[in-house]
Amino acid sequence: MNQTRMQVTGVPVDNIDMDGVVDHAQKMVAGNQQCTIFAMNPEKAVASLDDPELYDCLNSAGLLIADGIGIILASRIHGVPFKSRVPGSELMPRLCEMAAANSYPIFLFGAKEETNKLAAEKLVQTYPGLIIAGRQNGYVDESGMPDLINTINESGAKLLFVALGSPKQEYWMNQYKAQLDVLILQGVGGTFDVISGTVKRAPALWRFFHLEWLYRLLSQPRRFIRQSRLPAYVWLVIKSRLGLLKA
């Protein structure tokens, strides 16, 4: 049983900080055990309560990190403050740093070809000694999955980063993890875009005040549909605090 897993606004999340996640991942690789890492944020929380399949998929993760500041604030409102937020975009570089230090090969799957290629190049430059065992853009249809699984397994990668967007990446990892020899699987959303420089991350001041979500919305208006779930999450927090959520 996962001792760090808790319920916040009716959805599962692990109360663990960044160092704890990296340490856990390293122990899993050293022990030859597999662990999937998914991120929980307000949008996924709302969606998962309306979709039992997504809820079960998220809950099946080895670690379900609190990626959104809304999760952290909700935990404080409920009197069980989380240790800290664990942004998925910061976790991937930390895992790559750990992989480089231990000579664990990694595999990049997802995003556009140019973005994937640039991300691989930047990672090698940033983390000397990092082994990119292989990479594949996200444009693989269902018929190509057996070959992709074989390619990943034959590469010898220990860590796999999947950038297919949510919830597609969560469903993909949940479906294929049993066929994969990799030990750490992390869903990273648009992190390849940030690492490659295709998309700029919010300036430090915006991140300090936990307004990265607003910066991304202003710089990428197409995210409005996703962010439109935020009012629903606020209502979810209120209902949870009043004990109005169904068990």
Side-chain angles (χ1 to χ4, degrees):
M1 182 177 178
N2 191 335
Q3 298 299 315
T4 65
R5 186 144 301 175
M6 306 177 71
Q7 291 283 323
V8 178
T9 63
V11 296
V13 194
D14 287 307
N15 189 359
I16 188 170
D17 60 16
M18 180 71 75
D19 289 340
V21 175
V22 176
D23 182 61
H24 180 77
Q26 187 166 353
K27 288 179 179 177
M28 294 296 283
V29 176
N32 199 39
Q33 300 179 69
Q34 191 179 74
C35 178
T36 53
I37 304 175
F38 296 161
M40 180 62 81
N41 56 38
E43 294 87 355
K44 287 184 195 176
V46 172
S48 67
L49 290 179
D50 291 332
D51 183 348
E53 183 181 0
L54 177 58
Y55 181 98
D56 290 342
C57 178
L58 293 171
N59 196 36
S60 72
L63 282 177
L64 193 52
I65 59 175
D67 186 23
I69 187 60
I71 302 293
I72 302 299
L73 295 177
S75 75
R76 293 173 182 171
I77 290 172
H78 285 73
V80 189
F82 273 24
K83 293 179 180 179
S84 68
R85 179 178 170 231
V86 183
S89 59
E90 295 178 12
L91 175 59
M92 180 184 168
R94 284 289 304 273
L95 290 177
C96 286
E97 181 180 32
M98 181 272 288
N102 292 278
S103 298
Y104 297 147
I106 72 169
F107 196 103
L108 307 181
F109 170 44
K112 297 177 180 178
E113 172 60 24
E114 184 63 19
T115 299
N116 187 295
K117 181 174 181 291
L118 282 173
E121 293 172 353
K122 294 278 184 152
L123 287 170
V124 171
Q125 293 170 8
T126 305
Y127 305 104
L130 180 65
I131 303 169
I132 306 288
R135 62 176 192 83
Q136 169 62 51
N137 64 51
Y139 297 89
V140 182
D141 59 27
E142 197 62 33
S143 65
M145 288 305 168
D147 286 341
L148 174 60
I149 298 300
N150 287 335
T151 297
I152 295 172
N153 288 338
E154 290 174 0
S155 75
K158 300 294 185 184
L159 289 83
L160 171 64
F161 298 102
V162 183
L164 299 177
S166 183
K168 183 177 180 180
Q169 63 194 19
E170 286 84 4
Y171 283 132
W172 188 91
M173 287 186 284
N174 201 44
Q175 178 178 353
Y176 292 107
K177 63 184 179 183
Q179 301 176 39
L180 289 162
D181 296 334
V182 294
L183 300 173
I184 303 298
L185 301 87
Q186 184 195 354
V188 299
T191 303
F192 290 3
D193 295 290
V194 176
I195 292 174
S196 67
T198 305
V199 173
K200 293 189 180 297
R201 196 177 175 196
L205 189 62
W206 288 72
R207 299 200 302 270
F208 178 80
F209 286 106
H210 304 297
L211 292 173
E212 188 167 10
W213 63 272
L214 179 58
Y215 177 88
R216 294 175 70 184
L217 178 60
L218 293 174
S219 59
Q220 298 174 277
R222 67 178 181 276
R223 294 178 60 86
F224 177 78
I225 294 177
R226 282 184 56 188
Q227 299 292 358
S228 65
R229 287 197 176 110
L230 290 178
Y233 185 71
V234 172
W235 176 232
L236 186 63
V237 172
I238 294 172
K239 288 198 298 181
S240 178
R241 189 69 181 89
L242 295 176
L244 301 177
L245 282 182
K246 295 181 181 179

